[in-house]
PDB file of all heavy atoms in Angstrom:
ATOM      1  N   PRO A 401      17.126   4.483 108.929  1.00 98.00           N
ATOM      2  CA  PRO A 401      18.403   4.197 108.264  1.00 98.00           C
ATOM      3  C   PRO A 401      18.348   4.440 106.762  1.00 98.00           C
ATOM      4  O   PRO A 401      17.373   4.107 106.090  1.00 98.00           O
ATOM      5  CB  PRO A 401      18.647   2.719 108.574  1.00 98.00           C
ATOM      6  CG  PRO A 401      17.305   2.157 108.899  1.00 98.00           C
ATOM      7  CD  PRO A 401      16.522   3.273 109.519  1.00 98.00           C
ATOM      8  N   ASP A 402      19.412   5.052 106.247  1.00 98.00           N
ATOM      9  CA  ASP A 402      19.585   5.315 104.827  1.00 98.00           C
ATOM     10  C   ASP A 402      20.561   4.290 104.248  1.00 98.00           C
ATOM     11  O   ASP A 402      21.074   3.428 104.968  1.00 98.00           O
ATOM     12  CB  ASP A 402      20.108   6.739 104.644  1.00 98.00           C
ATOM     13  CG  ASP A 402      19.322   7.751 105.478  1.00 98.00           C
ATOM     14  OD1 ASP A 402      18.106   7.859 105.263  1.00 98.00           O
ATOM     15  OD2 ASP A 402      19.925   8.400 106.359  1.00 98.00           O
ATOM     16  N   ILE A 403      20.849   4.379 102.951  1.00 98.00           N
ATOM     17  CA  ILE A 403      21.720   3.402 102.294  1.00 98.00           C
ATOM     18  C   ILE A 403      22.692   4.122 101.367  1.00 98.00           C
ATOM     19  O   ILE A 403      22.281   4.931 100.531  1.00 98.00           O
ATOM     20  CB  ILE A 403      20.908   2.384 101.466  1.00 98.00           C
ATOM     21  CG1 ILE A 403      19.837   1.713 102.326  1.00 98.00           C
ATOM     22  CG2 ILE A 403      21.839   1.330 100.868  1.00 98.00           C
ATOM     23  CD1 ILE A 403      18.870   0.862 101.522  1.00 98.00           C
ATOM     24  N   PHE A 404      23.966   3.806 101.510  1.00 98.00           N
ATOM     25  CA  PHE A 404      24.986   4.306 100.579  1.00 98.00           C
ATOM     26  C   PHE A 404      25.452   3.155  99.692  1.00 98.00           C
ATOM     27  O   PHE A 404      25.669   2.035 100.176  1.00 98.00           O
ATOM     28  CB  PHE A 404      26.179   4.885 101.339  1.00 98.00           C
ATOM     29  CG  PHE A 404      27.287   5.369 100.432  1.00 98.00           C
ATOM     30  CD1 PHE A 404      27.247   6.643  99.889  1.00 98.00           C
ATOM     31  CD2 PHE A 404      28.346   4.542 100.104  1.00 98.00           C
ATOM     32  CE1 PHE A 404      28.247   7.092  99.041  1.00 98.00           C
ATOM     33  CE2 PHE A 404      29.361   4.980  99.265  1.00 98.00           C
ATOM     34  CZ  PHE A 404      29.308   6.255  98.731  1.00 98.00           C
ATOM     35  N   CYS A 405      25.643   3.437  98.396  1.00 98.00           N
ATOM     36  CA  CYS A 405      26.118   2.433  97.445  1.00 98.00           C
ATOM     37  C   CYS A 405      27.256   3.011  96.614  1.00 98.00           C
ATOM     38  O   CYS A 405      27.146   4.122  96.084  1.00 98.00           O
ATOM     39  CB  CYS A 405      25.008   1.991  96.496  1.00 98.00           C
ATOM     40  SG  CYS A 405      23.554   1.311  97.294  1.00 98.00           S
ATOM     41  N   SER A 406      28.323   2.259  96.478  1.00 98.00           N
ATOM     42  CA  SER A 406      29.443   2.629  95.613  1.00 98.00           C
ATOM     43  C   SER A 406      29.330   1.823  94.328  1.00 98.00           C
ATOM     44  O   SER A 406      29.253   0.586  94.361  1.00 98.00           O
ATOM     45  CB  SER A 406      30.763   2.321  96.327  1.00 98.00           C
ATOM     46  OG  SER A 406      31.854   2.653  95.516  1.00 98.00           O
ATOM     47  N   ASN A 407      29.337   2.524  93.194  1.00 97.00           N
ATOM     48  CA  ASN A 407      29.071   1.887  91.907  1.00 97.00           C
ATOM     49  C   ASN A 407      30.236   2.059  90.939  1.00 97.00           C
ATOM     50  O   ASN A 407      30.980   3.034  91.009  1.00 97.00           O
ATOM     51  CB  ASN A 407      27.807   2.485  91.283  1.00 97.00           C
ATOM     52  CG  ASN A 407      26.608   2.416  92.202  1.00 97.00           C
ATOM     53  OD1 ASN A 407      26.374   1.394  92.845  1.00 97.00           O
ATOM     54  ND2 ASN A 407      25.848   3.501  92.289  1.00 97.00           N
ATOM     55  N   GLY A 408      30.364   1.122  90.008  1.00 97.00           N
ATOM     56  CA  GLY A 408      31.391   1.198  88.977  1.00 97.00           C
ATOM     57  C   GLY A 408      31.339  -0.024  88.099  1.00 97.00           C
ATOM     58  O   GLY A 408      31.128  -1.138  88.582  1.00 97.00           O
ATOM     59  N   HIS A 409      31.537   0.160  86.796  1.00 95.00           N
ATOM     60  CA  HIS A 409      31.399  -0.963  85.862  1.00 95.00           C
ATOM     61  C   HIS A 409      32.618  -1.879  85.910  1.00 95.00           C
ATOM     62  O   HIS A 409      33.664  -1.530  86.475  1.00 95.00           O
ATOM     63  CB  HIS A 409      31.161  -0.462  84.439  1.00 95.00           C
ATOM     64  CG  HIS A 409      30.171  -1.294  83.685  1.00 95.00           C
ATOM     65  ND1 HIS A 409      30.446  -2.584  83.285  1.00 95.00           N
ATOM     66  CD2 HIS A 409      28.911  -1.031  83.287  1.00 95.00           C
ATOM     67  CE1 HIS A 409      29.386  -3.076  82.657  1.00 95.00           C
ATOM     68  NE2 HIS A 409      28.448  -2.158  82.646  1.00 95.00           N
ATOM     69  N   VAL A 410      32.461  -3.064  85.312  1.00 92.00           N
ATOM     70  CA  VAL A 410      33.542  -4.049  85.310  1.00 92.00           C
ATOM     71  C   VAL A 410      34.180  -4.218  83.940  1.00 92.00           C
ATOM     72  O   VAL A 410      35.170  -4.945  83.806  1.00 92.00           O
ATOM     73  CB  VAL A 410      33.033  -5.427  85.802  1.00 92.00           C
ATOM     74  CG1 VAL A 410      32.523  -5.319  87.220  1.00 92.00           C
ATOM     75  CG2 VAL A 410      31.947  -5.986  84.879  1.00 92.00           C
ATOM     76  N   LEU A 411      33.632  -3.582  82.904  1.00 78.00           N
ATOM     77  CA  LEU A 411      34.191  -3.739  81.571  1.00 78.00           C
ATOM     78  C   LEU A 411      35.537  -3.036  81.472  1.00 78.00           C
ATOM     79  O   LEU A 411      35.847  -2.126  82.230  1.00 78.00           O
ATOM     80  CB  LEU A 411      33.221  -3.188  80.525  1.00 78.00           C
ATOM     81  CG  LEU A 411      31.860  -3.897  80.456  1.00 78.00           C
ATOM     82  CD1 LEU A 411      30.976  -3.218  79.422  1.00 78.00           C
ATOM     83  CD2 LEU A 411      32.034  -5.376  80.125  1.00 78.00           C
ATOM     84  N   THR A 412      36.350  -3.427  80.507  1.00 71.00           N
ATOM     85  CA  THR A 412      37.700  -2.889  80.362  1.00 71.00           C
ATOM     86  C   THR A 412      37.682  -1.600  79.539  1.00 71.00           C
ATOM     87  O   THR A 412      36.694  -1.278  78.871  1.00 71.00           O
ATOM     88  CB  THR A 412      38.609  -3.912  79.656  1.00 71.00           C
ATOM     89  OG1 THR A 412      38.180  -4.035  78.291  1.00 71.00           O
ATOM     90  CG2 THR A 412      38.549  -5.261  80.335  1.00 71.00           C
ATOM     91  N   PRO A 413      38.778  -0.860  79.537  1.00 66.00           N
ATOM     92  CA  PRO A 413      38.818   0.396  78.773  1.00 66.00           C
ATOM     93  C   PRO A 413      38.676   0.229  77.268  1.00 66.00           C
ATOM     94  O   PRO A 413      38.473   1.205  76.562  1.00 66.00           O
ATOM     95  CB  PRO A 413      40.190   0.965  79.126  1.00 66.00           C
ATOM     96  CG  PRO A 413      40.574   0.317  80.402  1.00 66.00           C
ATOM     97  CD  PRO A 413      39.987  -1.049  80.340  1.00 66.00           C
ATOM     98  N   THR A 414      38.790  -0.994  76.758  1.00 63.00           N
ATOM     99  CA  THR A 414      38.662  -1.168  75.311  1.00 63.00           C
ATOM    100  C   THR A 414      37.237  -0.952  74.833  1.00 63.00           C
ATOM    101  O   THR A 414      37.003  -0.718  73.657  1.00 63.00           O
ATOM    102  CB  THR A 414      39.107  -2.580  74.897  1.00 63.00           C
ATOM    103  OG1 THR A 414      38.243  -3.543  75.518  1.00 63.00           O
ATOM    104  CG2 THR A 414      40.530  -2.852  75.319  1.00 63.00           C
ATOM    105  N   VAL A 415      36.284  -1.045  75.760  1.00 61.00           N
ATOM    106  CA  VAL A 415      34.885  -0.898  75.396  1.00 61.00           C
ATOM    107  C   VAL A 415      34.437   0.528  75.689  1.00 61.00           C
ATOM    108  O   VAL A 415      34.695   1.063  76.755  1.00 61.00           O
ATOM    109  CB  VAL A 415      34.020  -1.907  76.175  1.00 61.00           C
ATOM    110  CG1 VAL A 415      32.551  -1.718  75.839  1.00 61.00           C
ATOM    111  CG2 VAL A 415      34.461  -3.333  75.851  1.00 61.00           C
ATOM    112  N   SER A 416      33.778   1.152  74.699  1.00 59.00           N
ATOM    113  CA  SER A 416      33.400   2.563  74.834  1.00 59.00           C
ATOM    114  C   SER A 416      32.148   2.700  75.699  1.00 59.00           C
ATOM    115  O   SER A 416      31.056   2.949  75.216  1.00 59.00           O
ATOM    116  CB  SER A 416      33.151   3.170  73.444  1.00 59.00           C
ATOM    117  OG  SER A 416      32.171   2.415  72.755  1.00 59.00           O
ATOM    118  N   ILE A 417      32.333   2.523  76.992  1.00 68.00           N
ATOM    119  CA  ILE A 417      31.250   2.681  77.952  1.00 68.00           C
ATOM    120  C   ILE A 417      31.810   3.420  79.153  1.00 68.00           C
ATOM    121  O   ILE A 417      33.014   3.331  79.447  1.00 68.00           O
ATOM    122  CB  ILE A 417      30.674   1.307  78.361  1.00 68.00           C
ATOM    123  CG1 ILE A 417      29.406   1.471  79.202  1.00 68.00           C
ATOM    124  CG2 ILE A 417      31.702   0.479  79.119  1.00 68.00           C
ATOM    125  CD1 ILE A 417      28.692   0.156  79.464  1.00 68.00           C
ATOM    126  N   GLU A 418      30.993   4.190  79.813  1.00 84.00           N
ATOM    127  CA  GLU A 418      31.438   4.931  80.992  1.00 84.00           C
ATOM    128  C   GLU A 418      31.597   3.962  82.154  1.00 84.00           C
ATOM    129  O   GLU A 418      30.618   3.498  82.737  1.00 84.00           O
ATOM    130  CB  GLU A 418      30.424   6.020  81.344  1.00 84.00           C
ATOM    131  CG  GLU A 418      30.791   6.855  82.566  1.00 84.00           C
ATOM    132  CD  GLU A 418      32.114   7.562  82.422  1.00 84.00           C
ATOM    133  OE1 GLU A 418      32.158   8.570  81.697  1.00 84.00           O
ATOM    134  OE2 GLU A 418      33.096   7.097  83.023  1.00 84.00           O
ATOM    135  N   ARG A 419      32.837   3.625  82.461  1.00 91.00           N
ATOM    136  CA  ARG A 419      33.093   2.700  83.565  1.00 91.00           C
ATOM    137  C   ARG A 419      32.804   3.356  84.902  1.00 91.00           C
ATOM    138  O   ARG A 419      32.294   2.733  85.817  1.00 91.00           O
ATOM    139  CB  ARG A 419      34.546   2.223  83.537  1.00 91.00           C
ATOM    140  CG  ARG A 419      34.942   1.465  82.278  1.00 91.00           C
ATOM    141  CD  ARG A 419      36.440   1.184  82.289  1.00 91.00           C
ATOM    142  NE  ARG A 419      36.777   0.127  83.227  1.00 91.00           N
ATOM    143  CZ  ARG A 419      37.995  -0.037  83.747  1.00 91.00           C
ATOM    144  NH1 ARG A 419      38.955   0.824  83.454  1.00 91.00           N
ATOM    145  NH2 ARG A 419      38.242  -1.028  84.566  1.00 91.00           N
ATOM    146  N   ARG A 420      33.193   4.622  85.033  1.00 95.00           N
ATOM    147  CA  ARG A 420      32.969   5.312  86.293  1.00 95.00           C
ATOM    148  C   ARG A 420      31.488   5.674  86.415  1.00 95.00           C
ATOM    149  O   ARG A 420      30.871   6.129  85.461  1.00 95.00           O
ATOM    150  CB  ARG A 420      33.851   6.561  86.379  1.00 95.00           C
ATOM    151  CG  ARG A 420      35.315   6.213  86.590  1.00 95.00           C
ATOM    152  CD  ARG A 420      36.216   7.429  86.552  1.00 95.00           C
ATOM    153  NE  ARG A 420      37.551   7.082  87.009  1.00 95.00           N
ATOM    154  CZ  ARG A 420      38.462   6.463  86.274  1.00 95.00           C
ATOM    155  NH1 ARG A 420      38.170   6.136  85.011  1.00 95.00           N
ATOM    156  NH2 ARG A 420      39.641   6.159  86.778  1.00 95.00           N
ATOM    157  N   GLN A 421      30.955   5.487  87.606  1.00 96.00           N
ATOM    158  CA  GLN A 421      29.528   5.696  87.800  1.00 96.00           C
ATOM    159  C   GLN A 421      29.279   6.513  89.057  1.00 96.00           C
ATOM    160  O   GLN A 421      30.118   6.595  89.955  1.00 96.00           O
ATOM    161  CB  GLN A 421      28.817   4.337  87.901  1.00 96.00           C
ATOM    162  CG  GLN A 421      28.950   3.501  86.638  1.00 96.00           C
ATOM    163  CD  GLN A 421      28.162   2.199  86.720  1.00 96.00           C
ATOM    164  OE1 GLN A 421      27.948   1.653  87.782  1.00 96.00           O
ATOM    165  NE2 GLN A 421      27.734   1.704  85.566  1.00 96.00           N
ATOM    166  N   LEU A 422      28.103   7.114  89.116  1.00 97.00           N
ATOM    167  CA  LEU A 422      27.712   7.918  90.275  1.00 97.00           C
ATOM    168  C   LEU A 422      27.369   7.009  91.452  1.00 97.00           C
ATOM    169  O   LEU A 422      26.721   5.973  91.277  1.00 97.00           O
ATOM    170  CB  LEU A 422      26.502   8.780  89.934  1.00 97.00           C
ATOM    171  CG  LEU A 422      26.723   9.888  88.904  1.00 97.00           C
ATOM    172  CD1 LEU A 422      25.373  10.461  88.474  1.00 97.00           C
ATOM    173  CD2 LEU A 422      27.611  10.982  89.477  1.00 97.00           C
ATOM    174  N   PRO A 423      27.770   7.398  92.651  1.00 98.00           N
ATOM    175  CA  PRO A 423      27.311   6.670  93.832  1.00 98.00           C
ATOM    176  C   PRO A 423      25.852   7.007  94.121  1.00 98.00           C
ATOM    177  O   PRO A 423      25.296   7.969  93.583  1.00 98.00           O
ATOM    178  CB  PRO A 423      28.230   7.179  94.948  1.00 98.00           C
ATOM    179  CG  PRO A 423      28.618   8.551  94.499  1.00 98.00           C
ATOM    180  CD  PRO A 423      28.659   8.519  92.996  1.00 98.00           C
ATOM    181  N   TYR A 424      25.234   6.205  94.980  1.00 98.00           N
ATOM    182  CA  TYR A 424      23.865   6.453  95.418  1.00 98.00           C
ATOM    183  C   TYR A 424      23.862   6.729  96.920  1.00 98.00           C
ATOM    184  O   TYR A 424      24.616   6.114  97.687  1.00 98.00           O
ATOM    185  CB  TYR A 424      22.970   5.234  95.175  1.00 98.00           C
ATOM    186  CG  TYR A 424      22.693   4.888  93.733  1.00 98.00           C
ATOM    187  CD1 TYR A 424      22.436   3.567  93.369  1.00 98.00           C
ATOM    188  CD2 TYR A 424      22.658   5.859  92.741  1.00 98.00           C
ATOM    189  CE1 TYR A 424      22.168   3.225  92.059  1.00 98.00           C
ATOM    190  CE2 TYR A 424      22.387   5.529  91.416  1.00 98.00           C
ATOM    191  CZ  TYR A 424      22.145   4.201  91.079  1.00 98.00           C
ATOM    192  OH  TYR A 424      21.870   3.872  89.776  1.00 98.00           O
ATOM    193  N   LEU A 425      22.995   7.632  97.338  1.00 98.00           N
ATOM    194  CA  LEU A 425      22.646   7.767  98.744  1.00 98.00           C
ATOM    195  C   LEU A 425      21.127   7.785  98.811  1.00 98.00           C
ATOM    196  O   LEU A 425      20.480   8.779  98.468  1.00 98.00           O
ATOM    197  CB  LEU A 425      23.230   9.041  99.363  1.00 98.00           C
ATOM    198  CG  LEU A 425      22.890   9.260 100.842  1.00 98.00           C
ATOM    199  CD1 LEU A 425      23.402   8.102 101.695  1.00 98.00           C
ATOM    200  CD2 LEU A 425      23.430  10.586 101.348  1.00 98.00           C
ATOM    201  N   PHE A 426      20.559   6.654  99.212  1.00 98.00           N
ATOM    202  CA  PHE A 426      19.108   6.532  99.302  1.00 98.00           C
ATOM    203  C   PHE A 426      18.654   7.040 100.665  1.00 98.00           C
ATOM    204  O   PHE A 426      18.974   6.451 101.698  1.00 98.00           O
ATOM    205  CB  PHE A 426      18.678   5.076  99.110  1.00 98.00           C
ATOM    206  CG  PHE A 426      18.887   4.542  97.728  1.00 98.00           C
ATOM    207  CD1 PHE A 426      19.903   3.633  97.466  1.00 98.00           C
ATOM    208  CD2 PHE A 426      18.067   4.936  96.684  1.00 98.00           C
ATOM    209  CE1 PHE A 426      20.096   3.126  96.190  1.00 98.00           C
ATOM    210  CE2 PHE A 426      18.252   4.439  95.403  1.00 98.00           C
ATOM    211  CZ  PHE A 426      19.266   3.534  95.158  1.00 98.00           C
ATOM    212  N   HIS A 427      17.897   8.136 100.662  1.00 98.00           N
ATOM    213  CA  HIS A 427      17.370   8.688 101.902  1.00 98.00           C
ATOM    214  C   HIS A 427      16.058   8.008 102.258  1.00 98.00           C
ATOM    215  O   HIS A 427      15.159   7.862 101.431  1.00 98.00           O
ATOM    216  CB  HIS A 427      17.143  10.196 101.770  1.00 98.00           C
ATOM    217  CG  HIS A 427      16.659  10.821 103.035  1.00 98.00           C
ATOM    218  ND1 HIS A 427      15.354  11.197 103.227  1.00 98.00           N
ATOM    219  CD2 HIS A 427      17.316  11.112 104.191  1.00 98.00           C
ATOM    220  CE1 HIS A 427      15.223  11.713 104.447  1.00 98.00           C
ATOM    221  NE2 HIS A 427      16.398  11.672 105.047  1.00 98.00           N
ATOM    222  N   ASN A 428      15.960   7.595 103.513  1.00 97.00           N
ATOM    223  CA  ASN A 428      14.786   6.890 104.013  1.00 97.00           C
ATOM    224  C   ASN A 428      13.741   7.913 104.467  1.00 97.00           C
ATOM    225  O   ASN A 428      13.991   8.699 105.383  1.00 97.00           O
ATOM    226  CB  ASN A 428      15.212   6.002 105.193  1.00 97.00           C
ATOM    227  CG  ASN A 428      14.111   5.072 105.668  1.00 97.00           C
ATOM    228  OD1 ASN A 428      12.931   5.345 105.491  1.00 97.00           O
ATOM    229  ND2 ASN A 428      14.507   3.980 106.296  1.00 97.00           N
ATOM    230  N   GLU A 429      12.589   7.892 103.821  1.00 96.00           N
ATOM    231  CA  GLU A 429      11.519   8.815 104.160  1.00 96.00           C
ATOM    232  C   GLU A 429      10.507   8.120 105.056  1.00 96.00           C
ATOM    233  O   GLU A 429       9.504   7.571 104.614  1.00 96.00           O
ATOM    234  CB  GLU A 429      10.868   9.357 102.888  1.00 96.00           C
ATOM    235  CG  GLU A 429      11.866  10.108 102.004  1.00 96.00           C
ATOM    236  CD  GLU A 429      11.213  10.814 100.846  1.00 96.00           C
ATOM    237  OE1 GLU A 429      10.114  10.391 100.426  1.00 96.00           O
ATOM    238  OE2 GLU A 429      11.794  11.801 100.366  1.00 96.00           O
ATOM    239  N   ASN A 430      10.862   8.097 106.352  1.00 95.00           N
ATOM    240  CA  ASN A 430       9.980   7.572 107.402  1.00 95.00           C
ATOM    241  C   ASN A 430       9.595   6.109 107.196  1.00 95.00           C
ATOM    242  O   ASN A 430       8.501   5.679 107.590  1.00 95.00           O
ATOM    243  CB  ASN A 430       8.719   8.428 107.516  1.00 95.00           C
ATOM    244  CG  ASN A 430       9.026   9.873 107.841  1.00 95.00           C
ATOM    245  OD1 ASN A 430       9.908  10.155 108.648  1.00 95.00           O
ATOM    246  ND2 ASN A 430       8.334  10.797 107.199  1.00 95.00           N
ATOM    247  N   GLY A 431      10.509   5.335 106.596  1.00 96.00           N
ATOM    248  CA  GLY A 431      10.261   3.914 106.427  1.00 96.00           C
ATOM    249  C   GLY A 431       9.262   3.580 105.344  1.00 96.00           C
ATOM    250  O   GLY A 431       8.900   2.405 105.180  1.00 96.00           O
ATOM    251  N   LYS A 432       8.839   4.588 104.561  1.00 97.00           N
ATOM    252  CA  LYS A 432       7.804   4.370 103.548  1.00 97.00           C
ATOM    253  C   LYS A 432       8.359   4.345 102.129  1.00 97.00           C
ATOM    254  O   LYS A 432       7.817   3.661 101.254  1.00 97.00           O
ATOM    255  CB  LYS A 432       6.740   5.466 103.640  1.00 97.00           C
ATOM    256  CG  LYS A 432       6.106   5.598 105.009  1.00 97.00           C
ATOM    257  CD  LYS A 432       5.370   4.342 105.431  1.00 97.00           C
ATOM    258  CE  LYS A 432       4.672   4.541 106.774  1.00 97.00           C
ATOM    259  NZ  LYS A 432       4.016   3.286 107.242  1.00 97.00           N
ATOM    260  N   ARG A 433       9.429   5.082 101.898  1.00 97.00           N
ATOM    261  CA  ARG A 433       9.972   5.200 100.546  1.00 97.00           C
ATOM    262  C   ARG A 433      11.403   5.724 100.635  1.00 97.00           C
ATOM    263  O   ARG A 433      11.793   6.351 101.625  1.00 97.00           O
ATOM    264  CB  ARG A 433       9.115   6.137  99.694  1.00 97.00           C
ATOM    265  CG  ARG A 433       9.405   6.060  98.202  1.00 97.00           C
ATOM    266  CD  ARG A 433       8.316   6.753  97.412  1.00 97.00           C
ATOM    267  NE  ARG A 433       8.590   6.736  95.982  1.00 97.00           N
ATOM    268  CZ  ARG A 433       8.290   5.718  95.179  1.00 97.00           C
ATOM    269  NH1 ARG A 433       7.689   4.644  95.664  1.00 97.00           N
ATOM    270  NH2 ARG A 433       8.571   5.766  93.884  1.00 97.00           N
ATOM    271  N   PHE A 434      12.195   5.467  99.586  1.00 98.00           N
ATOM    272  CA  PHE A 434      13.570   5.911  99.535  1.00 98.00           C
ATOM    273  C   PHE A 434      13.789   6.744  98.276  1.00 98.00           C
ATOM    274  O   PHE A 434      13.238   6.437  97.222  1.00 98.00           O
ATOM    275  CB  PHE A 434      14.532   4.715  99.525  1.00 98.00           C
ATOM    276  CG  PHE A 434      14.604   3.988 100.834  1.00 98.00           C
ATOM    277  CD1 PHE A 434      13.601   3.118 101.229  1.00 98.00           C
ATOM    278  CD2 PHE A 434      15.692   4.163 101.683  1.00 98.00           C
ATOM    279  CE1 PHE A 434      13.669   2.444 102.432  1.00 98.00           C
ATOM    280  CE2 PHE A 434      15.768   3.491 102.889  1.00 98.00           C
ATOM    281  CZ  PHE A 434      14.760   2.631 103.269  1.00 98.00           C
ATOM    282  N   LYS A 435      14.606   7.798  98.402  1.00 97.00           N
ATOM    283  CA  LYS A 435      14.956   8.635  97.252  1.00 97.00           C
ATOM    284  C   LYS A 435      16.465   8.804  97.200  1.00 97.00           C
ATOM    285  O   LYS A 435      17.112   9.051  98.222  1.00 97.00           O
ATOM    286  CB  LYS A 435      14.281  10.008  97.362  1.00 97.00           C
ATOM    287  CG  LYS A 435      12.773   9.975  97.164  1.00 97.00           C
ATOM    288  CD  LYS A 435      12.190  11.375  97.193  1.00 97.00           C
ATOM    289  CE  LYS A 435      10.685  11.339  96.963  1.00 97.00           C
ATOM    290  NZ  LYS A 435      10.079  12.700  97.006  1.00 97.00           N
TER     291      LYS A 435
END
Side-chain angles (χ1 to χ4, degrees):
D402 313 300
I403 306 171
F404 178 85
C405 302
S406 179
N407 305 317
H409 219 291
V410 299
L411 298 178
T412 69
T414 62
V415 178
S416 56
I417 189 172
E418 180 59 76
R419 299 173 74 202
R420 288 175 169 79
Q421 298 184 332
L422 293 169
Y424 292 151
L425 179 60
F426 292 107
H427 183 256
N428 188 335
E429 300 188 335
N430 301 320
K432 304 298 184 184
R433 194 167 178 84
F434 289 77
K435 290 184 179 179

